[in-house]
Amino acid sequence: MLKIYNTLARDKQEFTPITPNTVSMYVCGMTVYDYCHLGHARVMVVFDMVYRWFKASGYDITYVRNITDIDDKIIRRAAQNNESIHQLTQRFIDAMHQDADALGVQRPDHEPRATQFVPEMLAMIAQLEANGLAYQAADGDVNYAVRKFDGYGKLSGKSLEDLRAGERVEVTTDKHDPLDFVLWKHARDDEADEVKWDSKWGKGRPGWHIECSAMGSKLLGEHFDIHGGGADLQFPHHENEIAQSEGAHNCQYVNYWMHNGFVRVDNEKMSKSLDNFFTIREVLKQYDAEVVRFFILRAHYRSPLNYSDAHLDDAKKALDRLYTALKGSGEAGGVDWNESHAQRFKAAMDDDFNTAEALAVLFDLANEVNRTQSAEAASQLKALGAVLGLLERDPTEFLQGTGSDDALIVEQIAARNAAKQAKNYAEADRIRKELLADGIVLEDSAAGTNWRRV
RNA sequence: GGUGCGUUAGCAAAUCGGUUAUGCCCCGGAUUGCAAAUCCGGUUAGCCCAGUUCGACUCUGGGACGCACCUCCA
């Protein structure tokens, strides 16, 4: 039985889908005005893992990850770059897809863009207005009246009083309450036509929060199973989504809220404002994408994850061990779920997606492969790895990686073997040492000499 | 100030009220011409203080420290 830590309950709960064997999952995606960094990589990889585990468990899952392609930062950046909003967002959507593909992240079933769902957002705002939860302020913005919604704060555990209205929230006099948030931003004269839509409240564009509410209910229904995102979205974004969706539809919005932990650098949250972020493509110049994926999955998704070269180096060595065990093994069959390792793996995954434990099982399995040379164990290792989107490449290809001239290495090895034949061990060792200096490790075996890059 | 989360061996990171986590590193042995890889074995834990218990790293209470949210943020 699958258990999920539900932020709404602050507890692990058994997962019961609304419709048997079916899962509807929405995850907040990126605002596309720049390259994705490792924090974004974590959301994508974590929920990709969740997506894969539901599928492996026999569920029919529909996964939606939105794209925010209209927003203040986008408008500002496009103006800076002197390009259109569409050019800018398309460029970074393409880049995001490249990064996600490299990390082995499967495409969600839907990737709705906010700009394509403006009519749905307007309909929802109208419904909120009709329900007495939204009002147009003097400045033209349409705001959500937070105090009119009883359940406000139930996700984040914050009470309106605790939020100390106005202390850190910029007070806009046109709002009825400082904590009211904007649903529809009135258009400004200096903005491009591209960011203006007609509405009964005048020209303008949607607020951030309404995007997810509208796209979620349009694609998954007014009530769906799982909503995910980074822990920083809990408040106010997800709290506001609940207020909007439940306020408009008068029914529960989401059953399970999942939040992944942050990627940190030097024990601080990786973020744009601290300027301590590494983009995915930057990291991939130095490390294999699968190593990065492994690094992310090696920790539990709710734990903080410290990023450093040392940690990536460590992950690389660990993953080397798994691939080394698979060297020379054939194609994997399907997972034999009755086998003991697979059962431990499943138990770990069913326990709130404990990939750290699931990977530990893979190492135990690697030990068995090394010890017994069992083809079944190797197949099982490969198959279980594939469930997590790992170990799917040719082991030799992975271990050798890419770098300077492979042909030259093969030549050197031949020369060394000749020296060995002649019992000229000094020469053989010299060649080996020379290769090692270039990061090439040789491994002699009965079948010949293998090599890999460290 | 309010709220939430965390503190496990040299590093990373899980589980669990009593029994080997796991990976990297380190030490010893096997193997090897020597290595590497692999196998076998080993060293190094549970922030502090109290309590519950036959027994606590694991439960309860208090404290210290760290992180996050309360503003856009994955």
Side-chain angles (χ1 to χ4, degrees), chain A residues 26-99:
Chain A
Y26 185 99
V27 172
C28 288
M30 266 55 76
T31 299
V32 283
Y33 67 102
D34 209 338
Y35 293 114
C36 291
H37 63 232
L38 239 34
H40 301 118
R42 191 173 192 191
V43 198
M44 292 197 283
V45 168
V46 160
F47 287 99
D48 177 64
M49 170 277 291
V50 169
Y51 185 42
R52 287 169 185 260
W53 183 242
F54 272 116
K55 288 200 273 194
S57 301
Y59 286 92
D60 182 8
I61 180 169
T62 304
Y63 175 23
V64 177
R65 188 184 64 213
N66 73 289
I67 293 170
T68 295
D69 62 349
I70 181 70
D71 146 283
D72 288 351
K73 286 175 183 160
I74 291 173
I75 293 170
R76 208 178 311 135
R77 183 65 61 91
Q80 273 170 18
N81 291 359
N82 209 8
E83 64 185 331
S84 74
I85 305 286
H86 184 77
Q87 276 173 328
L88 175 82
T89 57
Q90 189 58 54
R91 205 151 54 79
F92 286 112
I93 288 169
D94 291 344
M96 174 185 79
H97 282 147
Q98 283 171 8
D99 295 340

Side-chain angles (χ1 to χ4, degrees), chain A residues 139-339:
Chain A
D139 61 7
D141 283 355
V142 180
N143 297 319
Y144 190 103
V146 154
R147 284 180 193 277
K148 298 274 178 66
F149 181 71
D150 282 342
Y152 198 78
K154 67 181 177 183
L155 176 70
S156 56
K158 298 178 191 304
S159 71
L160 285 169
E161 286 64 39
D162 288 345
L163 287 165
R164 298 203 169 194
E167 189 182 11
R168 291 185 60 185
V169 182
E170 195 181 329
V171 178
T172 311
T173 49
D174 291 334
K175 286 179 180 173
H176 291 357
D177 185 288
L179 285 165
D180 287 352
F181 57 91
V182 67
L183 296 165
W184 187 254
K185 294 187 182 196
H186 70 279
R188 292 160 185 275
D189 294 339
D190 60 348
E191 289 172 342
D193 287 343
E194 202 185 2
V195 302
K196 292 173 185 169
W197 283 264
D198 284 319
S199 84
K200 60 190 275 197
W201 303 281
K203 278 187 184 298
R205 58 189 161 91
W208 176 43
H209 309 297
I210 197 70
E211 295 175 9
C212 288
S213 279
M215 292 188 281
S217 57
K218 173 74 179 180
L219 294 166
L220 296 173
E222 294 177 358
H223 178 205
F224 56 88
D225 294 305
I226 298 172
H227 190 126
D232 46 359
L233 298 186
Q234 245 170 80
F235 189 90
H237 185 52
H238 291 161
E239 196 68 64
N240 291 351
E241 274 192 60
I242 291 174
Q244 291 165 337
S245 295
E246 302 194 351
H249 305 315
N250 295 308
C251 68
Q252 169 131 8
Y253 177 42
V254 166
N255 284 351
Y256 302 88
W257 286 87
M258 292 179 66
H259 297 277
N260 66 273
F262 300 125
V263 175
R264 296 186 189 171
V265 177
D266 295 331
N267 235 30
E268 277 187 318
K269 175 183 173 182
M270 179 182 287
S271 69
K272 292 254 179 190
S273 50
L274 285 169
D275 198 32
N276 62 352
F277 64 92
F278 295 83
T279 64
I280 296 172
R281 48 195 53 211
E282 213 173 340
V283 173
L284 293 189
K285 282 180 194 161
Q286 201 182 339
Y287 294 96
D288 186 280
E290 190 172 350
V291 170
V292 177
R293 184 180 177 93
F294 177 86
F295 167 70
I296 291 170
L297 293 177
R298 199 150 69 127
H300 185 91
Y301 75 89
R302 283 188 284 113
S303 303
L305 181 62
N306 252 312
Y307 171 83
S308 75
D309 280 3
H311 295 156
L312 268 280
D313 290 338
D314 187 81
K316 162 44 169 140
K317 285 181 182 169
L319 190 55
D320 276 352
R321 178 170 165 79
L322 293 180
Y323 265 117
T324 300
L326 287 176
K327 232 168 22 177
S329 67
E331 283 299 297
V335 176
D336 172 8
W337 290 108
N338 292 316
E339 188 270 335

Side-chain angles (χ1 to χ4, degrees), chain A residues 326 329-336 339 341 365 368-369 372-384:
Chain A
L326 287 176
S329 67
E331 283 299 297
V335 176
D336 172 8
E339 188 270 335
H341 291 92
L365 198 46
E368 184 170 317
V369 172
T372 65
Q373 295 298 310
S374 153
E376 291 75 36
S379 165
Q380 189 77 324
L381 172 57
K382 203 163 158 49
L384 286 172

Side-chain angles (χ1 to χ4, degrees), chain A residues 6-18:
Chain A
N6 188 355
T7 306
L8 202 52
R10 308 224 171 246
D11 200 10
K12 272 187 214 172
Q13 298 181 319
E14 282 194 0
F15 175 71
T16 309
I18 295 165

Side-chain angles (χ1 to χ4, degrees), chain A residues 379-428:
Chain A
S379 165
Q380 189 77 324
L381 172 57
K382 203 163 158 49
L384 286 172
V387 170
L388 296 174
L390 297 168
L391 304 178
E392 298 184 276
R393 290 192 273 166
D394 176 72
T396 301
E397 244 168 66
F398 173 84
L399 291 167
Q400 296 189 342
T402 51
S404 60
D405 210 341
D406 287 7
L408 208 67
I409 294 165
V410 174
E411 254 174 57
Q412 300 264 80
I413 289 172
R416 171 171 170 269
N417 282 338
K420 267 176 68 180
Q421 287 273 312
K423 303 251 189 241
N424 185 356
Y425 292 121
E427 172 64 4

